[in-house]
Amino acid sequence: MSTVLITGCSSGFGLETARLFLENGWNVIATMRQPKADSLPASDNLTVLPLDVTNPDSIAATLAQAGDIDVLVNNAGFGAAVPIELIDPATARQLFETNTLGTLAMVQAVLPGFRKRRSGTVINVTSSTTLRPLPLVSVYRASKAAVDALTESLAVEMQPFDVRVHIVLPGRSPETSFGSNAMPHLRGLDNPDYKPMIEGFITHARENGSPVTHAVDVAAAVWQAATDPNAPLRIAAGADAVQWMSAAE
């Protein structure tokens, strides 16, 4: 029985991905900053562990409890919608520490085992915002674009060791808590120049008339990456992400 470790499972994409792997008989190690044992159906195949991807001691403790894994899914992260001029430096650092350096730390923690066994799969969940320039999400986009670049190079480095590497790029998902979690970092509504831009962005983020990404779309893309040996390096997740990737290509 294969084992997957998924970061950021408290809600949204990570939670739905954990559900999908459980339904298909995998051993699932669902990690989150503050574990909620009842967020997933009870199962002998489920282990819920605390994990802060920005804390090396937390990573070491979690992986020690997890034991050998076959697939790592780096999903933990957060967003912020702020004009470049106004973003708090502490928020910018936190975006890179969580989204970029947290992913790097998790990858570094599992690679020795994958390389020695000559097997394993790394799946990094980034964002379709990396496919085109957008206002207000610049630093978030930069943190995810850095993961895209890192993952592309990682795929080349791991090829001789039969370790597969993939990027999953979700689109906009109003049904998840991503937007609400980003709101505390919002700045600029009191600025007459930026206020119209920000209000338009918020309205667009909440509307459901155009194609969007559902959590099940991301779970399906991660499943493809984990189980299909011929899966591409980059997999769009969600109708809007598919459109954006097609346009970018």
Side-chain angles (χ1 to χ4, degrees):
M1 187 181 298
S2 298
T3 299
V4 59
L5 187 152
I6 308 165
T7 69
C9 288
S10 60
S11 64
F13 301 155
L15 182 61
E16 194 61 41
T17 300
R19 284 198 187 108
L20 179 61
F21 278 81
L22 276 174
E23 290 168 0
N24 283 276
W26 281 53
N27 285 323
V28 174
I29 301 166
T31 71
M32 53 196 84
R33 281 177 178 265
Q34 299 181 359
K36 304 174 187 175
D38 59 349
S39 60
L40 287 160
S43 171
D44 291 339
N45 295 342
L46 173 65
T47 302
V48 178
L49 295 176
L51 175 62
D52 178 353
V53 298
T54 68
N55 185 321
D57 292 336
S58 177
I59 292 173
T62 297
L63 289 179
Q65 289 182 263
D68 290 340
I69 66 171
D70 301 286
V71 176
L72 168 66
V73 180
N74 281 309
N75 168 74
F78 79 100
V82 189
I84 293 173
E85 179 183 345
L86 303 178
I87 192 164
D88 188 318
T91 299
R93 281 192 293 270
Q94 188 180 359
L95 282 164
F96 274 91
E97 286 171 1
T98 302
N99 298 348
T100 310
L101 298 180
T103 295
L104 173 61
M106 289 299 299
V107 169
Q108 289 180 317
V110 304
L111 284 186
F114 284 3
R115 179 171 46 78
K116 289 175 184 176
R117 296 199 308 269
R118 294 300 196 263
S119 69
T121 303
V122 174
I123 303 167
N124 291 333
V125 179
T126 65
S127 172
S128 63
T129 62
T130 63
L131 298 172
R132 63 168 67 171
L134 293 170
L136 305 181
V137 293
S138 56
V139 180
Y140 166 75
R141 180 173 179 257
S143 72
K144 290 295 191 177
V147 177
D148 284 353
L150 181 148
T151 310
E152 290 166 355
S153 292
L154 179 66
V156 176
E157 292 177 0
M158 289 296 105
Q159 191 171 14
F161 312 123
D162 295 325
V163 174
R164 295 196 295 112
V165 178
H166 300 278
I167 306 168
V168 169
L169 299 98
R172 181 174 63 90
S173 188
E175 70 187 23
T176 69
S177 59
F178 183 87
S180 60
N181 290 340
M183 289 304 291
H185 305 284
L186 181 65
R187 299 176 74 175
L189 279 173
D190 58 347
N191 184 299
D193 286 334
Y194 286 118
K195 182 178 180 180
M197 183 188 302
I198 295 170
E199 289 179 336
F201 180 89
I202 292 173
T203 298
H204 175 70
R206 290 174 174 168
E207 64 95 15
N208 291 307
S210 57
V212 297
T213 294
H214 301 285
V216 292
D217 299 327
V218 179
V222 173
W223 176 259
Q224 178 188 359
T227 61
D228 180 2
N230 297 313
L233 169 64
R234 299 160 66 88
I235 304 173
D240 53 339
V242 170
Q243 289 180 358
W244 284 26
M245 181 175 286
S246 177
E249 292 174 347

